[in-house]
Amino acid sequence: MSFSSLGLSQPLQHAVAERNYSSPTPIQTLAIPVILRGADVWASAQTGSGKTAAFVLPILQLLSAGTRPHGRFVRALILVPTRELAAQIGESIQRYARHLSEPLKTLTLHGGVSINPQMMALGRGADILVATPGRLLDLLDHNALSLSAVSILLLDEADRLLELGFAKEFGRILALLPASRQSLLFSATFPPEVQTIAQSLLRDPVRLNVAAEPQNKPDIHQRVIEVDVPRRTQLLRHLIEKNQWTGVLVFVATKYSTEHVAEKLRTAGIKATALHGELSQGARTQALAEFKAGKVQVLLATDLAARGLDIVQLPVVVNYDLPRSAVDYTHRIGRTGRAGEAGIAISFVSAGTHAHFRLIEKRHRLGLPREQIEGFEPTELAVPDAAGGIKGKRKSRKDKLREAAARSGKPPQRAKLDP
Ligand code: AMP
């Protein structure tokens, strides 16, 4: 399959050729012709699958064929969960649109920066608006734009949008859109809330599902390492040094931990920096740029700050703190193993989090082996949970026999252990 067979115009094919993509990814092969013919799309696609180009290229082509915006009207609206994702999609649009005979006006609008220039920029409308829902609603409150001429609506990473409370905002935005439009929904996972939105948004959608095909799954080696909570930073340092990792994205639970662990690693001579939601936009952009340029080796991030990060060839992702949900797990590990590159995703599991990780595995039908690293073997005891069971690491048969043997004073019976 080649890009030329997908029905893309010459200027778009030219832009793709400049990226040196040898062939379209599966989601691109499926989505581009369907979007070009104007159908609604319900696409299940992971970050790293090439999904951005899968929707940006056909949207650019459809808009190039239509008439330019006027007044405060917007022609295509792309809603995304985070600033970073908005910025990345904005960059992709610029990149793929560069050879179009008539430029398309694209605005990328998100919170964290002053609203006034955004209102000014919207004055004469836009061909494409890439926005986070919160900022879009602020701008609508200021009467800075009109959605009544939107011909294409796209929700990207719809599952993340909903996790951030989008359901409440969605009704308001939907009411402002014209009934006649093309709607596209991209999501890595389809929990019930996303299905509800999909049903109210899409008309007779074409379902595209590449994630379900194993050969298209990114190549991610998932590892689980057992370690006591207080020793995680030392273990992290050990792994980074031993494996000489460059480009490690480490997920931690809180803003405080991003700073704290980064500081500890820096003291140990590792170039580490924190990325969290309370940093200014400038500081976040700088942290990301330094990480991308290889000046920073380890990025300590919270889920919110890391959402939508597009760093090609990110070799390692570490769950220092486990993600809260199975959906978050998918998103986190999706930061590695992108566009054909192999990646490693490591989760640290401690006595108190074993049960939680088992739930994540159950949701994904995984059964990952537990590892221990020499010198970092966990010593913490498992904590009995409210039901009287053991939360955390269960005793093995061997341990129980050893304990029984210790009580009776007799050596354990090996024959029973290794029949
Ligand atoms: P995305 O899933 O849109 O975040 O894309 C992941 C990465 O894959 C981006 O860095 C793209 O530049 C890259 N990419 C997109 N399409 C292709 C392609 N056809 N061949 C190789 N890489 C691609």
Side-chain angles (χ1 to χ4, degrees):
M1 183 59 74
S2 68
F3 276 101
S4 57
S5 61
L6 298 177
L8 290 171
S9 63
Q10 280 305 323
L12 294 172
Q13 285 189 40
H14 186 177
V16 166
E18 280 176 348
R19 304 291 301 155
N20 291 325
Y21 299 159
S22 51
S23 56
T25 65
I27 188 67
Q28 291 164 357
T29 305
L30 292 175
I32 291 173
V34 173
I35 300 176
L36 281 179
R37 73 173 148 85
D40 279 10
V41 164
W42 160 313
S44 158
Q46 307 278 341
T47 308
S49 60
K51 67 181 169 69
T52 314
F55 59 74
V56 165
L57 290 167
I59 288 177
L60 288 174
Q61 183 151 326
L62 291 172
L63 294 178
S64 295
T67 45
R68 294 286 101 92
H70 56 98
R72 289 171 298 109
F73 295 102
V74 170
R75 300 174 67 206
L77 174 63
I78 299 181
L79 285 173
V80 297
T82 61
R83 308 164 191 191
E84 278 77 14
L85 191 56
Q88 275 158 26
I89 293 177
E91 281 166 24
S92 289
I93 292 173
Q94 302 301 349
R95 208 181 292 141
Y96 296 128
R98 58 191 296 190
H99 298 296
L100 295 176
S101 52
E102 274 190 69
L104 292 173
K105 182 174 169 190
T106 303
L107 294 176
T108 304
L109 308 180
H110 50 70
V113 290
S114 162
I115 197 167
N116 287 338
Q118 300 185 345
M119 288 172 58
M120 301 273 286
L122 276 165
R124 281 192 300 283
D127 290 291
I128 311 179
L129 184 58
V130 186
T132 52
R135 182 47 63 102
L136 177 68
L137 288 174
D138 285 349
L139 287 159
L140 287 166
D141 286 340
H142 285 86
N143 217 10
L145 74 156
S146 166
L147 298 182
S148 63
V150 167
S151 59
I152 304 174
L153 169 72
L154 179 119
L155 305 189
D156 190 24
E157 301 202 359
D159 46 3
R160 311 308 308 259
L161 273 167
L162 284 156
E163 278 185 357
L164 294 172
F166 176 66
K168 275 182 253 133
E169 295 153 344
F170 176 67
R172 222 188 116 193
I173 295 171
L174 198 59
L176 297 169
L177 294 166
S180 160
R181 53 157 206 272
Q182 183 178 13
S183 303
L184 314 168
L185 185 140
F186 281 70
S187 194
T189 58
F190 280 86
E193 315 83 69
V194 179
Q195 296 191 24
T196 308
I197 291 256
Q199 272 146 18
S200 62
L201 184 74
L202 306 171
R203 271 194 225 143
D204 211 4
V206 177
R207 289 203 188 198
L208 307 176
N209 188 351
V210 293
E213 294 170 31
Q215 71 272 26
N216 298 325
K217 276 195 179 155
D219 183 5
I220 302 172
H221 177 203
Q222 301 176 60
R223 295 174 56 187
V224 187
I225 302 181
E226 296 177 324
V227 60
D228 289 336
V229 167
R231 303 214 59 209
R232 288 174 303 173
T233 306
Q234 282 159 292
L235 174 60
L236 180 62
R237 177 186 161 189
H238 168 81
L239 291 171
I240 292 168
E241 286 172 346
K242 181 165 169 254
N243 299 293
Q244 299 184 337
W245 284 332
T246 51
V248 190
L249 178 60
V250 181
F251 285 95
V252 293
T254 62
K255 172 196 152 248
Y256 170 78
S257 305
T258 61
E259 303 273 9
H260 181 70
V261 180
E263 182 58 44
K264 284 261 172 75
L265 292 177
R266 281 197 296 268
T267 310
I270 294 171
K271 288 183 193 130
T273 197
L275 185 77
H276 56 75
E278 282 177 38
L279 292 174
S280 70
Q281 185 61 34
R284 284 163 72 157
T285 309
Q286 189 188 345
L288 201 57
E290 287 181 352
F291 185 59
K292 280 188 181 177
K295 287 185 200 153
V296 163
Q297 193 180 349
V298 187
L299 197 62
L300 282 301
T302 55
D303 281 300
L304 195 68
R307 238 164 246 171
L309 289 188
D310 175 22
I311 302 151
V312 196
Q313 296 178 343
L314 181 60
V316 188
V317 167
V318 176
N319 290 320
Y320 181 99
D321 287 310
L322 288 181
R324 265 176 303 168
S325 68
V327 172
D328 280 335
Y329 183 77
T330 307
H331 279 275
R332 283 185 180 189
I333 72 168
R335 307 293 151 207
T336 184
R338 320 189 84 193
E341 296 293 324
I344 303 171
I346 294 182
S347 298
F348 287 172
V349 171
S350 318
T353 59
H354 268 280
H356 181 59
F357 195 75
R358 268 202 300 275
L359 287 177
I360 292 175
E361 285 185 296
K362 211 170 144 197
R363 280 286 296 273
H364 290 303
R365 297 199 184 90
L366 290 169
L368 301 169
R370 305 301 193 252
E371 297 173 44
Q372 295 190 355
I373 305 292
E374 205 182 331
F376 295 90
E377 295 86 351
T379 55
E380 277 179 10
L381 292 172
V383 197
D385 64 20
I390 300 292
K391 194 175 172 190
K393 198 170 182 312
R394 286 178 190 280
K395 283 179 194 161
S396 67
R397 246 176 91 204
K398 231 179 207 171
D399 289 340
K400 286 181 193 159
L401 281 166
R402 269 200 208 101
E403 280 177 16
R407 279 196 299 273
S408 67
K410 289 183 201 150
Q413 298 173 19
R414 286 197 60 80
K416 279 191 186 164
L417 284 170
D418 305 310

